[in-house]
Amino acid sequence: MNNKNASFSPQIFDQLPGCWGCKDINSTFVYVNPEYGRMVGFDNHLDCIGKTDYQMPITTTDYADKYVEQDQIVIETERTIRVLDIHPYHDGKWRAHLFTKTPWRDHNNQVIGTIFSGIELTDTAVLEVGHWLCRAIGITKQQKNSSMLRISIKKEDIGLNTRESEVLFLLLHGKKPQYIAKTLGVSVKTIENYVLRLREKFNANSKGELLDLALELGYGSNIPESMLKTQLSIVLKD
């Protein structure tokens, strides 16, 4: 095949699905693709260049500190992280995205910033969250098979209320009671009481067994509807 007349430009990557871009070591945008630009409210995606998350024209600015913190984790550890983001955007719609943030390296293999890419969690894409949730709490195949043998209840019989669904969702992401309490605006004691109620409803002997059973019953593959109205930016565990 003759590639003599072939050309290369950033526009080729702009055709890729999802939203993506890169930031320098100070978390300043160096480039974003058109989809990301539209999502955050810019008529021209190039208007993002030279700005930071603190200067975006949407309410995600409330989480700018978290984004910078996440960028620094990637830069300092030189590791890839995955982040679940739920926010309202410029068109008034709430969206959930799964973002991957990875080190951006120069020709000398030195980290000079971060590269991020995200997919919106639609009804099908949300299943990927289930995969990461399993990894988040270290579920092995043997543990999953073991928990399947213990299941004597059906999902429709459990009847979780809104707050119980939210607590379980965050537990499945490996979040501690202190974090969940802060996120939901309640006391740590209240969260601990919710965990006890969840164990009772799932007939679980421990928190670990509760999470095993919840994953087997499918709670790891959906986001509570109420949480699509609450801003979040959660780093998922590897």
Side-chain angles (χ1 to χ4, degrees):
M1 182 176 178
N2 187 355
N3 291 325
K4 182 179 293 186
N5 296 323
S7 61
F8 173 83
S9 69
Q11 284 70 34
I12 294 176
F13 290 101
D14 286 344
Q15 298 176 44
L16 294 173
C19 48
W20 62 271
C22 53
K23 301 177 186 176
D24 66 18
I25 206 162
N26 297 312
S27 291
T28 299
F29 287 99
V30 176
Y31 188 79
V32 302
N33 71 334
E35 183 171 338
Y36 187 85
R38 287 191 297 269
M39 185 176 73
V40 298
F42 285 108
D43 293 330
N44 187 326
H45 63 291
L46 299 180
D47 290 339
C48 276
I49 297 175
K51 293 183 171 61
T52 68
D53 287 299
Y54 295 96
Q55 297 170 297
M56 295 297 101
I58 53 175
T59 57
T60 56
T61 53
D62 296 340
Y63 278 69
D65 287 343
K66 284 187 176 292
Y67 299 150
V68 172
E69 180 182 337
Q70 293 162 8
D71 294 341
Q72 289 305 305
I73 291 174
V74 173
I75 292 168
E76 292 173 7
T77 65
E78 300 188 12
R79 295 180 56 193
T80 295
I81 64 172
R82 286 171 176 82
V83 179
L84 176 65
D85 271 306
I86 303 175
H87 303 287
Y89 290 91
H90 79 286
D91 58 2
K93 293 182 180 179
W94 286 75
R95 293 182 174 86
H97 287 83
L98 185 63
F99 275 95
T100 298
K101 298 187 176 184
T102 193
W104 177 19
R105 299 178 184 275
D106 62 15
H107 295 300
N108 296 317
N109 205 35
Q110 297 297 309
V111 176
I112 58 173
T114 57
I115 299 173
F116 63 88
S117 61
I119 58 169
E120 185 171 356
L121 297 180
T122 60
D123 291 339
T124 53
V126 74
L127 295 178
E128 187 168 344
V129 172
H131 165 74
W132 288 107
L133 292 178
C134 288
R135 292 189 61 182
I137 60 173
I139 295 296
T140 65
K141 184 176 181 181
Q142 181 178 4
Q143 287 174 312
K144 292 175 75 173
N145 291 338
S146 175
S147 66
M148 288 179 70
L149 296 175
R150 295 196 303 267
I151 291 179
S152 60
I153 53 178
K154 296 180 179 179
K155 187 174 182 179
E156 55 268 26
D157 296 331
I158 296 177
L160 300 184
N161 62 33
T162 297
R163 187 45 59 90
E164 289 168 344
S165 296
E166 294 171 345
V167 171
L168 181 59
F169 173 78
L170 292 170
L171 284 174
L172 287 170
H173 279 84
K175 297 306 174 184
K176 298 184 182 300
Q178 291 82 356
Y179 178 95
I180 299 174
K182 183 177 179 180
T183 299
L184 300 182
V186 297
S187 69
V188 174
K189 182 63 175 178
T190 297
I191 297 302
E192 292 173 345
N193 288 336
Y194 274 116
V195 174
L196 290 175
R197 286 164 55 179
L198 286 166
R199 284 178 53 186
E200 291 176 0
K201 288 194 172 185
F202 281 82
N203 194 25
N205 296 317
S206 66
K207 177 183 173 183
E209 187 172 309
L210 164 66
L211 300 180
D212 285 355
L213 293 168
L215 283 171
E216 288 300 333
L217 288 169
Y219 284 95
S221 62
N222 68 283
I223 301 174
E225 185 177 348
S226 61
M227 297 199 77
L228 293 177
K229 299 295 182 183
T230 302
Q231 289 200 77
L232 291 173
S233 187
I234 302 173
V235 176
L236 303 182
K237 290 186 176 181
D238 292 332

